[in-house]
Amino acid sequence: MLAASDGSQSAPLGYAAGELRVRASTLMHLDDLPAELAGWGPIHAHLARTVAKRQIGGEWRFAVCDEDGHLLFAGVTRRRPGGWPHHQMGVAGEPEPEVRVVPVRGRGIVELQFPLSLLRALHADLHALGGWAGVVADVVGQYEAAGPDHAPGEGAGDGDGGDAGEGPSAGTGDSGDGRRRFPRAGLRRHIQVRDRVCTHPGCRAPATRSELDHTRPYAAGGSTSEGNLAAACAHDHDLRDNGWQVVRTAPGHVTWISRTGHRYPAQPPPVIEPLPEPFAPAGWAHLRPADSGYGAGNITDPAVDELPYVPAYRYEPAWWEEPLAKPDAAQEVTVRAGPPADPAEDIPPV
């Protein structure tokens, strides 16, 4: 329990699972694609929706990507889906009257992922989105306001109106961030979304828990800009002071050089991982018309969505044994007992 300023007791209810990375279409119930908890691994769509609702008071980021899943623009939105609870509730329901609820704010991140083609399609039909119309409109407005270069910035991407006087190019070296020792929020967020994890080879530490490393050291004249920053966890950041080197090969692409001279190139992974199309077992093949244009196993044909699922495997576990069938009386063979064996002829075991 926490003591509030008015003397009453306050209870921070709810929880924050960390950083949730999920497609916006999954939260809209348009698909059931898996999401990801940064640093932990994939989770199924139903759990992702539950976590997103629990972290509605945290920071909601968005990432607009191209058709290959690579980042085009990142920002943060203050809009939330209409109809979702806008406060954290306890697991048992309504809190006691004498307990004042303190929302869990500033904890947890929800990253909404938008392929650019999907974002434009959603924006073209806003009236059909219901409570999500405000979120999509805010994302589209920030993306278009950023201009053709979509440069990261402090003002751009803050949702519902950034700070006055800071345009889409804010946060880059041209707006004064280049000579700052530490990047501001917009640029820092862009690097975290772009790099996903620590850029050191083999490290899976989330970029949100990593430091931002100047590829060309700041003390040597390196600028605090998108092209000169890369995510590096505290452990791997210290390797640069112990013989390792980092060189930039392209914007967002760096190469780590070990003390023995081995080179390890690193490039930002796609924000939206490519996933295969849903595939059903071969048991559906005989239920699908041969001239439907859909191959066996593909479940995207709306004409056969209601067909019963006929699996090609058995439901019984591996240790299940078939009951023995009763032998046919006509095929039974009667075995008559012979005379008893003579103990003198019994051969002892060796």
Side-chain angles (χ1 to χ4, degrees):
M1 303 292 290
L2 301 177
S5 58
D6 55 1
S8 61
Q9 297 294 327
S10 304
L13 302 180
Y15 65 86
E19 181 184 357
L20 173 67
R21 301 168 178 174
V22 58
R23 297 197 192 195
S25 55
T26 301
L27 296 184
M28 297 178 187
H29 292 269
L30 300 179
D31 56 53
D32 286 324
L33 295 174
E36 178 189 3
L37 280 179
W40 293 92
I43 59 175
H44 56 80
H46 178 72
L47 180 57
R49 299 183 187 111
T50 302
V51 173
K53 291 180 180 180
R54 287 287 184 172
Q55 298 187 172
I56 198 168
E59 178 180 309
W60 278 42
R61 300 178 174 183
F62 64 85
V64 182
C65 306
D66 58 17
E67 298 307 315
D68 295 328
H70 294 284
L71 181 64
L72 294 176
F73 180 70
V76 63
T77 177
R78 296 190 179 97
R79 304 298 297 269
R80 297 294 183 267
W84 281 29
H86 283 228
H87 54 83
Q88 298 288 345
M89 297 303 299
V91 177
E94 292 291 339
E96 298 179 359
E98 64 273 9
V99 177
R100 185 167 62 88
V101 178
V102 178
V104 183
R105 298 185 182 275
R107 297 175 53 193
I109 297 174
V110 177
E111 180 187 280
L112 302 176
Q113 301 170 353
F114 289 92
L116 182 56
S117 58
L118 174 64
L119 182 62
R120 296 193 184 282
L122 294 175
H123 187 252
D125 197 16
L126 279 179
H127 68 280
L129 298 183
W132 280 90
V135 178
V136 173
D138 184 33
V139 173
V140 172
Q142 294 186 50
Y143 177 79
E144 294 179 348
D149 296 332
H150 303 108
E154 177 74 20
D158 279 349
D160 292 336
D163 298 334
E166 297 187 64
S169 62
T172 63
D174 296 337
S175 64
D177 248 15
R179 298 317 310 155
R180 294 171 58 94
R181 178 63 179 87
F182 300 101
R184 291 186 286 184
L187 180 56
R188 182 175 66 251
R189 180 173 52 247
H190 182 89
I191 302 300
Q192 291 172 350
V193 175
R194 182 199 68 186
D195 289 348
R196 317 302 287 165
V197 295
C198 170
T199 56
H200 188 271
C203 185
R204 298 184 65 249
T208 51
R209 305 176 193 171
S210 302
E211 302 171 355
L212 295 188
D213 175 39
H214 288 76
T215 305
R216 183 184 179 187
Y218 179 79
S223 63
T224 302
S225 60
E226 177 189 1
N228 196 46
L229 291 175
C233 66
H235 172 271
D236 297 329
H237 200 175
D238 292 340
L239 291 179
R240 298 197 60 178
D241 299 329
N242 294 274
W244 284 70
Q245 302 177 29
V246 181
V247 295
R248 172 190 173 187
T249 55
H253 295 65
V254 296
T255 298
W256 289 73
I257 306 175
S258 68
R259 293 187 292 266
T260 59
H262 291 82
R263 293 175 171 264
Y264 302 92
Q267 59 183 6
V271 174
I272 301 179
E273 295 286 348
L275 296 175
E277 290 293 329
F279 195 84
W284 278 15
H286 69 282
L287 299 174
R288 191 176 309 283
D291 57 349
S292 64
Y294 293 86
N298 192 309
I299 61 174
T300 58
D301 185 1
V304 296
D305 281 347
E306 302 300 328
L307 292 178
Y309 173 61
V310 181
Y313 55 88
R314 302 181 63 89
Y315 282 104
E316 291 81 3
W319 58 84
W320 183 271
E321 296 182 358
E322 292 285 348
L324 297 177
K326 186 178 180 179
D328 190 357
Q331 298 180 357
E332 290 185 354
V333 178
T334 303
V335 179
R336 297 181 179 180
D342 186 359
E345 298 178 356
D346 188 16
I347 302 177
V350 178

